[in-house]
Amino acid sequence: MYKAVIGLEVHCELNTESKMFSGSKNTYSKVPNENISVIDLAFPGILPLPNKEAIRKALKLAMALNCEVPDIVKFDRKNYYYPDLPKGYQLTQMTKPFGRNGHLTINFNGEEKKCTIHQLHLEEDTANMDHYDGYSLLDYNRAGIPLVEIVTDPVFNDEKTVIEFLESLRSIIKYIDVSEASSDKGQLRVDVNISMMKETDTELGVRAEIKGINSFNSVKEIILYEMERQREILESGGQVKQETRRWVDDEKVTVSMREKVDAIDYKFYVEPNIPVVKLDKEFLDEIRKEIPALPYERELKYISLGVNSKDARTLVREKAISDFFESVLSLGGDAKDAANWMTTRLLGFMNTNNKTIEEVYLTPEMLVELINMVKSGKISSQQAKEVFASVLEEEKSPSEIVKEKGMEQISDPDLIRDIVNKVLDENPSQLETYKSGKTNIIGFFVGQVLKASGGKANPGVASKILNEEIVKR
Ligand code: ADP
Ligand code: MG
């Protein structure tokens, strides 16, 4: 029996104003070669100037991933020639990466898994190449965009855990606002390293590397495909080659690109044009302070407040939604009730109307108001659903709607007793049925009382008084 061993290299473009070493705009553009400068194109005599914001953001991500961070900034040249790299070398961090020995804890099917991160470093992105029949096109908009690379240890054994890790990572990246992390815009790209080994083996097997994957769904398909491909080779007595492979999406297969016998010698050396800079403690502390409570921490907190784990997961997926929920909690709103309203009706409304939580009329204050109206018996939970919908659609506060629709719940026993007796008078045959022992027909009477009161009678009070009055008959 073979099991898979998987390690990831995740590349994430940072959302800074300008590029890593030039003043060119760092924005996604469909117009090729729009955001470029002589620095990005490596004209002779140019000098790189590191982007402080990119440094802050890369360090922030390293900290959020529990990495050890260095006390200096130092860049190295990684020498190789490729058309997407006009300088003939890439500026990266080889000797002093911004992060080492980090981890990201994920929760998978109720089990906690600590995914260890070997290294995180900051570098510059390369140009984009499109290959056609006999020629290629180069777009340098991407050249020089600050890029963070996160390298995990080979700690994964199946595609599901990998996807969970990637989803969690993306969510953290967005929580700390260092990247939009959009796969469609190529801002998050994954290299998958995968090998197979026997449960009893002590050494890792030979791996294949599949580079530059920009959809999580492809990551999943590639892992499943490679597991099968490598298993077949090994089971028939063959050996897996160490190589770089490419995913052909149309055919759903990986094909060999190049064999990787020895490690390529990149002749790394310290970039001489960028002085080594000391990172002082205050600068690092300031960055650390900006990191908000992260999704997994929030998820555990919500579960401890009685929210079920599925809802807790839904609430933390997006920071803005989780922040809304946090505000409800800090206003004293009931966690379970709020989670319920939010995961069902609020997210449902946002989905159908294609609105973000910032765009809906409902505020945390209004949600707390509504929850408390039900708790205090002012309106019934049935009425609350109507109020909730009206808040979103008519853009008025819960109290305004309750007033306008004359919705206050009737809890006055005398008023309800009158209605109860009227209902009992009008339904003699159902009363017979009840008396003959079929007591669950009580639900019918409660329904009639609610109807007769225009939905305003408090159902709890109504059913109590119904029981009292039926006995008298
Ligand atoms: P390189 O720089 O040549 O790609 P690294 O040793 O830095 O090689 O490893 C890169 C990635 O490959 C890491 O994510 C690591 O976890 C993973 N990896 C290394 N060895 C294996 C293996 N035998 N099987 C699966 N993944 C591996
Ligand atoms: Mg690699």
Side-chain angles (χ1 to χ4, degrees):
M1 275 305 281
Y2 288 95
K3 69 167 180 184
V5 174
I6 305 159
L8 305 172
E9 292 158 272
V10 185
H11 296 88
C12 173
E13 285 182 353
L14 299 179
N15 60 355
T16 51
E17 288 282 319
S18 56
K19 288 190 180 176
M20 187 61 232
F21 299 108
S22 81
S24 305
K25 259 201 272 173
N26 172 13
T27 45
Y28 179 74
S29 166
K30 289 207 163 124
V31 182
N33 297 310
E34 192 179 35
N35 304 321
I36 55 175
S37 73
V38 290
I39 295 181
D40 312 320
L41 295 177
F43 277 29
I46 53 101
L47 285 173
L49 188 67
N51 180 335
K52 188 172 177 186
E53 193 53 22
I55 289 172
R56 288 178 67 98
K57 291 197 162 178
L59 284 166
K60 195 170 170 188
L61 184 53
M63 290 172 187
L65 296 175
N66 306 293
C67 291
E68 296 159 12
V69 297
D71 58 358
I72 56 167
V73 181
K74 184 179 162 200
F75 288 97
D76 302 285
R77 285 189 184 189
K78 180 179 181 177
N79 295 283
Y80 68 99
Y81 177 78
Y82 215 60
D84 64 3
L85 190 72
K87 285 200 288 279
Y89 58 84
Q90 183 184 29
L91 289 181
T92 181
Q93 295 178 317
M94 150 69 178
T95 45
K96 280 281 175 186
F98 272 170
R100 273 205 176 119
N101 303 324
H103 66 265
L104 168 54
T105 307
I106 58 171
N107 185 319
F108 191 65
N109 286 344
E111 242 180 79
E112 252 185 22
K113 182 175 166 72
K114 194 168 163 182
C115 309
T116 50
I117 289 161
H118 173 68
Q119 167 172 326
L120 177 154
H121 57 264
L122 177 60
E123 56 190 30
E124 55 183 334
D125 209 347
T126 55
N128 208 42
M129 294 192 291
D130 276 328
H131 302 294
Y132 298 89
D133 196 11
Y135 68 101
S136 297
L137 295 179
L138 283 156
D139 177 4
Y140 287 93
N141 281 341
R142 208 179 71 180
I145 287 180
L147 190 71
V148 165
E149 178 171 347
I150 301 142
V151 183
T152 76
D153 287 321
V155 287
F156 304 98
N157 303 107
D158 61 68
E159 80 292 351
K160 293 197 186 81
T161 323
V162 167
I163 299 301
E164 184 60 35
F165 171 84
L166 289 172
E167 297 279 9
S168 301
L169 177 63
R170 166 147 53 201
S171 169
I172 289 174
I173 289 170
K174 292 170 89 166
Y175 262 64
I176 62 173
D177 187 29
V178 299
S179 174
E180 203 188 316
S182 153
S183 295
D184 294 342
K185 296 180 185 169
Q187 293 164 335
L188 204 64
R189 311 191 294 270
V190 184
D191 300 348
V192 171
N193 293 269
I194 173 167
S195 63
M196 300 292 281
M197 68 189 282
K198 284 199 181 129
E199 298 281 351
T200 49
D201 284 350
T202 47
E203 269 177 41
L204 296 182
V206 178
R207 70 183 145 123
E209 179 175 22
I210 300 90
K211 279 182 175 292
I213 314 160
N214 55 17
S215 103
F216 290 178
N217 193 47
S218 300
V219 168
K220 186 175 110 194
E221 291 177 318
I222 288 168
I223 292 174
L224 290 172
Y225 176 84
E226 274 296 310
M227 278 162 86
E228 257 331 285
R229 185 186 71 86
Q230 296 186 18
R231 181 179 289 126
E232 270 172 32
I233 295 176
L234 293 169
E235 277 174 356
S236 62
Q239 282 180 332
V240 174
K241 277 192 217 141
Q242 176 158 353
E243 60 187 354
T244 302
R245 299 179 71 85
R246 184 167 58 84
W247 176 242
V248 186
D249 201 31
D250 295 341
E251 294 163 41
K252 304 286 173 207
V253 295
T254 64
V255 294
S256 180
M257 277 171 78
R258 54 177 180 267
E259 279 188 37
K260 191 167 171 182
V261 188
D262 295 312
I264 304 166
D265 183 359
Y266 290 111
K267 303 258 186 290
F268 282 100
Y269 64 86
V270 180
E271 164 59 34
N273 290 325
I274 302 174
V276 172
V277 178
K278 176 114 181 64
L279 286 167
D280 58 40
K281 195 177 164 301
E282 290 86 80
F283 181 73
L284 293 173
D285 286 347
E286 208 181 282
I287 298 171
R288 209 178 279 281
K289 267 196 235 122
E290 285 172 11
I291 300 174
L294 296 174
Y296 188 53
E297 186 187 322
R298 296 187 190 208
E299 189 180 327
L300 294 180
K301 173 173 141 192
Y302 300 168
I303 291 171
S304 78
L305 292 172
V307 177
N308 70 50
S309 56
K310 184 165 165 276
D311 285 355
R313 175 65 63 97
T314 308
L315 289 170
V316 302
R317 201 169 293 149
E318 248 184 65
K319 180 165 179 289
I321 291 167
S322 176
D323 285 347
F324 186 107
F325 186 68
E326 293 280 334
S327 302
V328 171
L329 295 180
S330 66
L331 291 164
D334 181 273
K336 267 201 243 180
D337 287 345
N340 217 350
W341 283 112
M342 287 181 65
T343 53
T344 54
R345 286 162 197 276
L346 181 57
L347 294 185
F349 177 85
M350 284 160 54
N351 246 337
T352 17
N353 294 279
N354 208 3
K355 283 194 174 182
T356 65
I357 201 149
E358 289 94 350
E359 287 164 352
V360 297
Y361 186 73
L362 186 86
T363 61
E365 286 78 8
M366 291 183 203
L367 183 54
V368 174
E369 191 188 357
L370 185 72
I371 290 170
N372 291 340
M373 280 180 178
V374 179
K375 273 226 148 71
S376 68
K378 190 169 182 193
I379 58 172
S380 69
S381 48
Q382 198 51 43
Q383 289 172 321
K385 287 178 189 153
E386 207 184 317
V387 175
F388 193 82
S390 302
V391 170
L392 295 171
E393 274 148 26
E394 295 167 30
E395 312 212 324
K396 288 177 188 152
S397 76
S399 54
E400 275 177 290
I401 287 159
V402 167
K403 202 186 252 165
E404 246 180 51
K405 303 204 171 179
M407 259 187 178
E408 318 256 327
Q409 180 167 258
I410 305 171
S411 296
D412 178 348
D414 291 341
L415 280 175
I416 292 179
R417 200 173 303 275
D418 289 347
I419 305 173
V420 162
N421 280 313
K422 204 166 139 257
V423 165
L424 291 176
D425 290 344
E426 282 167 4
N427 297 284
S429 67
Q430 281 85 350
L431 186 58
E432 265 327 295
T433 313
Y434 182 92
K435 295 246 166 201
S436 73
K438 297 205 175 104
T439 52
N440 56 8
I441 200 169
I442 191 81
F444 162 80
F445 287 116
V446 176
Q448 291 301 307
V449 172
L450 288 186
K451 199 168 154 201
S453 69
K456 290 183 191 173
N458 179 324
V461 180
S463 97
K464 183 170 155 277
I465 293 179
L466 264 165
N467 280 311
E468 290 168 11
E469 291 303 311
I470 288 176
V471 181
K472 291 187 199 157
R473 294 193 178 221

